[in-house]
Amino acid sequence: MTTLMIVVFVVIPVAIGLFAARCYRKCPADKVLVVYGYSAGKGLQTYCIHGGGAFVMPVLQDFAYLDLRPRKGSFALDRIMTKEGSYGAKVGYTVQIASGEPVVENAAECLLNQSDEDIMNMADNIVAGEVRWLIANSSLSDISAVDEIFVERMRYRISPKLEKIGLELSDFSISEVTKQIEN
């Protein structure tokens, strides 16, 4: 009887406690914890946690982290054709994975298990396309006369497209727009 009581009152609670401690995943402040897999009563699901933690059931669920640190990108564009000729531009920007709802869900779908290089390639493509479009549809006087207004127009165009893949635009600048001489 005493061996059974020791097992029931000591061994089983300790085993349950160790199992629970092993299944609990904490999320640091600079990351988003993405838990995916089967959830009781809800079927397959993905949910994101920023700060705090969650129980991740082995075999039924798995987890990964999305890094929230800012990522800087820059590039030079050549041969942007406008009505006034061909232009070049130097662009710099900073993006980070969004931590707010519902954009973080997009990040979980699009960016989970992607390398930093792949994430920045996606961001470069989006930003470059929008810069080309806006410069092609603006005159050089519009671009250089009121720099802040042009940059705000650019943010307004870029931000929604980045949010579709789970990124938010932290900083954006066009350091130089030059008219290129055709040979």
Side-chain angles (χ1 to χ4, degrees):
M1 184 74 154
T2 53
T3 308
L4 180 62
M5 288 176 47
I6 290 172
V7 169
V8 169
F9 291 112
V10 176
V11 175
I12 292 176
V14 168
I16 290 172
L18 289 173
F19 177 76
R22 189 169 179 267
C23 293
Y24 188 75
R25 301 292 177 204
K26 291 189 265 183
C27 181
D30 65 338
K31 298 190 184 306
V32 171
L33 173 65
V34 180
V35 179
Y36 52 93
Y38 184 78
S39 183
K42 297 179 183 173
L44 291 175
Q45 107 177 52
T46 300
Y47 58 95
C48 302
I49 299 161
H50 179 231
F55 283 99
V56 179
M57 297 305 296
V59 180
L60 299 177
Q61 296 177 325
D62 205 356
F63 71 98
Y65 292 101
L66 288 171
D67 194 352
L68 295 179
R69 69 179 167 71
R71 295 165 173 88
K72 293 184 181 219
S74 63
F75 54 86
L77 292 173
D78 293 326
R79 293 187 220 117
I80 303 171
M81 298 304 294
T82 69
K83 295 174 190 171
E84 298 174 357
S86 179
Y87 291 95
K90 291 185 180 177
V91 177
Y93 66 94
T94 304
V95 294
Q96 66 186 49
I97 293 176
S99 61
E101 296 289 334
V103 183
V104 72
E105 302 291 334
N106 297 344
E109 285 181 26
C110 299
L111 305 177
L112 194 64
N113 299 322
Q114 297 284 336
S115 69
D116 279 351
E117 184 178 332
D118 291 339
I119 292 170
M120 288 310 295
N121 283 339
M122 284 188 256
D124 278 349
N125 290 336
I126 291 170
V127 173
E130 293 306 313
V131 169
R132 280 189 181 282
W133 184 89
L134 196 56
I135 289 176
N137 291 302
S138 302
S139 66
L140 184 60
S141 60
D142 290 342
I143 297 166
S144 58
V146 188
D147 195 33
E148 296 84 30
I149 293 174
F150 183 76
V151 169
E152 283 307 311
R153 283 177 55 201
M154 189 59 66
R155 282 179 185 271
Y156 180 76
R157 286 197 54 87
I158 295 172
S159 290
K161 292 183 175 55
L162 287 173
E163 287 173 358
K164 287 179 183 177
I165 63 167
L167 295 173
E168 61 186 11
L169 186 65
S170 302
D171 186 37
F172 177 81
S173 66
I174 296 181
S175 59
E176 189 177 312
V177 176
T178 57
K179 186 164 184 162
Q180 295 178 333
I181 299 170
E182 309 243 349
N183 294 341

